[in-house]
Amino acid sequence: MHFTSEQRLDDGVLEREFTLGEIPGIVWTPASASAPVPLILLGPPPLGLRKVYPRLVARARHAAADGFATATIELPGSGDRPRWAAAEQALADLRRAMEASKPVTDEIIDALILPLVDKSVPEWRAALDALLALPEIGGPVGYSGGVISIGIRLAVVEPRIVAAGLFAGSFVPRTMFEEARQVTIPLHVLLQWDDEGNDRQAALDLFDAFGSKEKTLNANMGGHTGVPQSAGDAAAQFFARHLK
C-alpha cells in the first residue's frame, strides 16, 4: 500500500488516498483514536470514486464519529482504471433494454455483474490485508453498501468480515441466490421501495434466501437516491452493535 496524499478534514478525520498496485483507494481514520479501531469497508457504486466522493466521505465521517475507520477502493473498470470492454458492452445492453421498456434478461445481468464480482472480490481481500496491517486499524471488520452481489460474495469467502450492511439497489444474478444461502453473518439490508432500477420482488426473494440467523430488512418509500436519514442511523446502530 502506497499513500499518495493525506489531509485532515475539518472534523479532524484523517483522509489518506492510496494505491495498491493499480488499484486506487481512500482510507479514513477517526481524529482521536487511542487504540486500533474497527474497520468498515465502504462499497462504492461502479461510477468512479471521484464522482461519488461526497457520498463516501459523508459516510466515512459519520462512521468516524462512532469510532470506526473506513476505506474504499475503485472498482475494476471504474474511475481512472482501464476501461473494460465486456463490462461496457453489458452496460450498453442493459441501458437499451431499459430504455425500450424490455425485460432485463438473465444473460445481461450475468454479463454485467458476475465478472465484476469475480474481479473485485480478490482486490477487496488484498486491500483488507493491507488495511489491517496499519497500526491504527485492528478490526473487527464490516462491509457496507456498494454492489450487493460483491457484498454477498465477500460475506461468504472472507471470514474477517463479521457483519454487513447491504443496499438492495442493483441487479443480482440468479447464481448469487445460491451464494446468499451460504451467508451466515448478521445482515442489515436496505431497500428503497420505489427504486426505479431495482426489481423489488427479486430483492425480497434475495433477503429471504440469506442464511443468516440475524437479518433485518429496512424498507423505505422512495427512489434509489431517496434514502432517509433514519435509515443511515439504523445502519450505524447495526455496526455499533456488531463491531464494538
PDB file of all heavy atoms in Angstrom, residues 56-75:
ATOM      1  N   LEU A  56     -19.365   9.146  -0.193  1.00  0.00           N
ATOM      2  CA  LEU A  56     -18.449   8.290   0.555  1.00  0.00           C
ATOM      3  C   LEU A  56     -17.872   9.009   1.764  1.00  0.00           C
ATOM      4  O   LEU A  56     -17.808   8.445   2.871  1.00  0.00           O
ATOM      5  CB  LEU A  56     -17.319   7.807  -0.353  1.00  0.00           C
ATOM      6  CG  LEU A  56     -17.707   6.810  -1.444  1.00  0.00           C
ATOM      7  CD1 LEU A  56     -16.553   6.630  -2.414  1.00  0.00           C
ATOM      8  CD2 LEU A  56     -18.102   5.461  -0.842  1.00  0.00           C
ATOM      9  N   VAL A  57     -17.453  10.264   1.590  1.00  0.00           N
ATOM     10  CA  VAL A  57     -16.834  10.967   2.713  1.00  0.00           C
ATOM     11  C   VAL A  57     -17.873  11.271   3.789  1.00  0.00           C
ATOM     12  O   VAL A  57     -17.546  11.275   4.995  1.00  0.00           O
ATOM     13  CB  VAL A  57     -16.103  12.241   2.238  1.00  0.00           C
ATOM     14  CG1 VAL A  57     -17.088  13.346   1.848  1.00  0.00           C
ATOM     15  CG2 VAL A  57     -15.139  12.745   3.317  1.00  0.00           C
ATOM     16  N   ALA A  58     -19.120  11.484   3.408  1.00  0.00           N
ATOM     17  CA  ALA A  58     -20.172  11.689   4.411  1.00  0.00           C
ATOM     18  C   ALA A  58     -20.349  10.426   5.254  1.00  0.00           C
ATOM     19  O   ALA A  58     -20.477  10.488   6.487  1.00  0.00           O
ATOM     20  CB  ALA A  58     -21.479  12.082   3.731  1.00  0.00           C
ATOM     21  N   ARG A  59     -20.355   9.267   4.584  1.00  0.00           N
ATOM     22  CA  ARG A  59     -20.465   8.004   5.315  1.00  0.00           C
ATOM     23  C   ARG A  59     -19.237   7.789   6.206  1.00  0.00           C
ATOM     24  O   ARG A  59     -19.351   7.320   7.347  1.00  0.00           O
ATOM     25  CB  ARG A  59     -20.611   6.847   4.330  1.00  0.00           C
ATOM     26  CG  ARG A  59     -21.944   6.831   3.593  1.00  0.00           C
ATOM     27  CD  ARG A  59     -21.908   5.943   2.348  1.00  0.00           C
ATOM     28  NE  ARG A  59     -21.649   4.537   2.672  1.00  0.00           N
ATOM     29  CZ  ARG A  59     -21.376   3.616   1.743  1.00  0.00           C
ATOM     30  NH1 ARG A  59     -21.300   3.952   0.461  1.00  0.00           N
ATOM     31  NH2 ARG A  59     -21.184   2.357   2.111  1.00  0.00           N
ATOM     32  N   ALA A  60     -18.053   8.150   5.689  1.00  0.00           N
ATOM     33  CA  ALA A  60     -16.816   7.957   6.453  1.00  0.00           C
ATOM     34  C   ALA A  60     -16.800   8.833   7.706  1.00  0.00           C
ATOM     35  O   ALA A  60     -16.398   8.381   8.788  1.00  0.00           O
ATOM     36  CB  ALA A  60     -15.617   8.273   5.568  1.00  0.00           C
ATOM     37  N   ARG A  61     -17.256  10.072   7.576  1.00  0.00           N
ATOM     38  CA  ARG A  61     -17.244  10.973   8.724  1.00  0.00           C
ATOM     39  C   ARG A  61     -18.250  10.524   9.784  1.00  0.00           C
ATOM     40  O   ARG A  61     -17.992  10.617  10.991  1.00  0.00           O
ATOM     41  CB  ARG A  61     -17.532  12.389   8.255  1.00  0.00           C
ATOM     42  CG  ARG A  61     -16.440  12.960   7.373  1.00  0.00           C
ATOM     43  CD  ARG A  61     -16.814  14.272   6.750  1.00  0.00           C
ATOM     44  NE  ARG A  61     -16.231  15.393   7.476  1.00  0.00           N
ATOM     45  CZ  ARG A  61     -16.083  16.609   6.945  1.00  0.00           C
ATOM     46  NH1 ARG A  61     -16.474  16.848   5.704  1.00  0.00           N
ATOM     47  NH2 ARG A  61     -15.563  17.567   7.659  1.00  0.00           N
ATOM     48  N   HIS A  62     -19.380  10.040   9.318  1.00  0.00           N
ATOM     49  CA  HIS A  62     -20.391   9.530  10.243  1.00  0.00           C
ATOM     50  C   HIS A  62     -19.822   8.336  11.013  1.00  0.00           C
ATOM     51  O   HIS A  62     -19.982   8.228  12.242  1.00  0.00           O
ATOM     52  CB  HIS A  62     -21.638   9.121   9.461  1.00  0.00           C
ATOM     53  CG  HIS A  62     -22.856   8.928  10.302  1.00  0.00           C
ATOM     54  ND1 HIS A  62     -22.973   7.906  11.219  1.00  0.00           N
ATOM     55  CD2 HIS A  62     -24.027   9.621  10.370  1.00  0.00           C
ATOM     56  CE1 HIS A  62     -24.153   7.971  11.812  1.00  0.00           C
ATOM     57  NE2 HIS A  62     -24.814   9.007  11.320  1.00  0.00           N
ATOM     58  N   ALA A  63     -19.137   7.441  10.295  1.00  0.00           N
ATOM     59  CA  ALA A  63     -18.547   6.270  10.943  1.00  0.00           C
ATOM     60  C   ALA A  63     -17.430   6.669  11.896  1.00  0.00           C
ATOM     61  O   ALA A  63     -17.282   6.076  12.976  1.00  0.00           O
ATOM     62  CB  ALA A  63     -18.025   5.306   9.880  1.00  0.00           C
ATOM     63  N   ALA A  64     -16.622   7.660  11.508  1.00  0.00           N
ATOM     64  CA  ALA A  64     -15.526   8.103  12.373  1.00  0.00           C
ATOM     65  C   ALA A  64     -16.055   8.658  13.694  1.00  0.00           C
ATOM     66  O   ALA A  64     -15.451   8.450  14.751  1.00  0.00           O
ATOM     67  CB  ALA A  64     -14.691   9.147  11.650  1.00  0.00           C
ATOM     68  N   ALA A  65     -17.187   9.346  13.630  1.00  0.00           N
ATOM     69  CA  ALA A  65     -17.790   9.873  14.856  1.00  0.00           C
ATOM     70  C   ALA A  65     -18.211   8.746  15.794  1.00  0.00           C
ATOM     71  O   ALA A  65     -18.285   8.936  17.015  1.00  0.00           O
ATOM     72  CB  ALA A  65     -18.988  10.750  14.508  1.00  0.00           C
ATOM     73  N   ASP A  66     -18.465   7.578  15.232  1.00  0.00           N
ATOM     74  CA  ASP A  66     -18.823   6.400  16.027  1.00  0.00           C
ATOM     75  C   ASP A  66     -17.602   5.565  16.421  1.00  0.00           C
ATOM     76  O   ASP A  66     -17.748   4.503  17.033  1.00  0.00           O
ATOM     77  CB  ASP A  66     -19.805   5.520  15.251  1.00  0.00           C
ATOM     78  CG  ASP A  66     -21.168   6.169  15.097  1.00  0.00           C
ATOM     79  OD1 ASP A  66     -21.525   7.011  15.942  1.00  0.00           O
ATOM     80  OD2 ASP A  66     -21.883   5.835  14.124  1.00  0.00           O
ATOM     81  N   GLY A  67     -16.409   6.021  16.003  1.00  0.00           N
ATOM     82  CA  GLY A  67     -15.184   5.334  16.400  1.00  0.00           C
ATOM     83  C   GLY A  67     -14.678   4.301  15.419  1.00  0.00           C
ATOM     84  O   GLY A  67     -13.860   3.447  15.786  1.00  0.00           O
ATOM     85  N   PHE A  68     -15.114   4.380  14.145  1.00  0.00           N
ATOM     86  CA  PHE A  68     -14.709   3.398  13.145  1.00  0.00           C
ATOM     87  C   PHE A  68     -13.814   4.034  12.091  1.00  0.00           C
ATOM     88  O   PHE A  68     -14.036   5.165  11.656  1.00  0.00           O
ATOM     89  CB  PHE A  68     -15.927   2.807  12.427  1.00  0.00           C
ATOM     90  CG  PHE A  68     -16.898   2.107  13.334  1.00  0.00           C
ATOM     91  CD1 PHE A  68     -18.239   2.430  13.319  1.00  0.00           C
ATOM     92  CD2 PHE A  68     -16.463   1.119  14.208  1.00  0.00           C
ATOM     93  CE1 PHE A  68     -19.134   1.797  14.154  1.00  0.00           C
ATOM     94  CE2 PHE A  68     -17.355   0.472  15.039  1.00  0.00           C
ATOM     95  CZ  PHE A  68     -18.699   0.810  15.022  1.00  0.00           C
ATOM     96  N   ALA A  69     -12.821   3.277  11.635  1.00  0.00           N
ATOM     97  CA  ALA A  69     -12.123   3.607  10.398  1.00  0.00           C
ATOM     98  C   ALA A  69     -12.946   3.082   9.229  1.00  0.00           C
ATOM     99  O   ALA A  69     -13.725   2.132   9.378  1.00  0.00           O
ATOM    100  CB  ALA A  69     -10.738   2.969  10.378  1.00  0.00           C
ATOM    101  N   THR A  70     -12.792   3.703   8.078  1.00  0.00           N
ATOM    102  CA  THR A  70     -13.472   3.251   6.861  1.00  0.00           C
ATOM    103  C   THR A  70     -12.495   3.299   5.703  1.00  0.00           C
ATOM    104  O   THR A  70     -11.514   4.042   5.728  1.00  0.00           O
ATOM    105  CB  THR A  70     -14.690   4.140   6.524  1.00  0.00           C
ATOM    106  OG1 THR A  70     -14.289   5.522   6.548  1.00  0.00           O
ATOM    107  CG2 THR A  70     -15.831   3.933   7.508  1.00  0.00           C
ATOM    108  N   ALA A  71     -12.790   2.510   4.678  1.00  0.00           N
ATOM    109  CA  ALA A  71     -11.935   2.501   3.490  1.00  0.00           C
ATOM    110  C   ALA A  71     -12.749   2.068   2.286  1.00  0.00           C
ATOM    111  O   ALA A  71     -13.738   1.334   2.408  1.00  0.00           O
ATOM    112  CB  ALA A  71     -10.743   1.569   3.679  1.00  0.00           C
ATOM    113  N   THR A  72     -12.320   2.530   1.124  1.00  0.00           N
ATOM    114  CA  THR A  72     -12.957   2.141  -0.123  1.00  0.00           C
ATOM    115  C   THR A  72     -11.893   1.969  -1.193  1.00  0.00           C
ATOM    116  O   THR A  72     -10.781   2.490  -1.064  1.00  0.00           O
ATOM    117  CB  THR A  72     -13.994   3.200  -0.560  1.00  0.00           C
ATOM    118  OG1 THR A  72     -14.775   2.705  -1.647  1.00  0.00           O
ATOM    119  CG2 THR A  72     -13.318   4.500  -0.986  1.00  0.00           C
ATOM    120  N   ILE A  73     -12.218   1.218  -2.238  1.00  0.00           N
ATOM    121  CA  ILE A  73     -11.333   1.074  -3.384  1.00  0.00           C
ATOM    122  C   ILE A  73     -12.122   1.266  -4.669  1.00  0.00           C
ATOM    123  O   ILE A  73     -13.342   1.072  -4.701  1.00  0.00           O
ATOM    124  CB  ILE A  73     -10.612  -0.291  -3.410  1.00  0.00           C
ATOM    125  CG1 ILE A  73     -11.602  -1.458  -3.441  1.00  0.00           C
ATOM    126  CG2 ILE A  73      -9.642  -0.412  -2.251  1.00  0.00           C
ATOM    127  CD1 ILE A  73     -10.947  -2.823  -3.639  1.00  0.00           C
ATOM    128  N   GLU A  74     -11.401   1.668  -5.718  1.00  0.00           N
ATOM    129  CA  GLU A  74     -12.015   1.840  -7.033  1.00  0.00           C
ATOM    130  C   GLU A  74     -12.307   0.471  -7.636  1.00  0.00           C
ATOM    131  O   GLU A  74     -11.447  -0.408  -7.655  1.00  0.00           O
ATOM    132  CB  GLU A  74     -11.058   2.609  -7.950  1.00  0.00           C
ATOM    133  CG  GLU A  74     -11.666   3.060  -9.254  1.00  0.00           C
ATOM    134  CD  GLU A  74     -12.544   4.296  -9.084  1.00  0.00           C
ATOM    135  OE1 GLU A  74     -12.012   5.415  -9.104  1.00  0.00           O
ATOM    136  OE2 GLU A  74     -13.778   4.102  -8.934  1.00  0.00           O
ATOM    137  N   LEU A  75     -13.528   0.289  -8.143  1.00  0.00           N
ATOM    138  CA  LEU A  75     -13.891  -0.985  -8.751  1.00  0.00           C
ATOM    139  C   LEU A  75     -13.228  -1.146 -10.122  1.00  0.00           C
ATOM    140  O   LEU A  75     -12.906  -0.154 -10.791  1.00  0.00           O
ATOM    141  CB  LEU A  75     -15.402  -1.075  -8.904  1.00  0.00           C
ATOM    142  CG  LEU A  75     -16.214  -1.128  -7.605  1.00  0.00           C
ATOM    143  CD1 LEU A  75     -17.706  -1.159  -7.910  1.00  0.00           C
ATOM    144  CD2 LEU A  75     -15.820  -2.334  -6.764  1.00  0.00           C
TER     145      LEU A  75
END
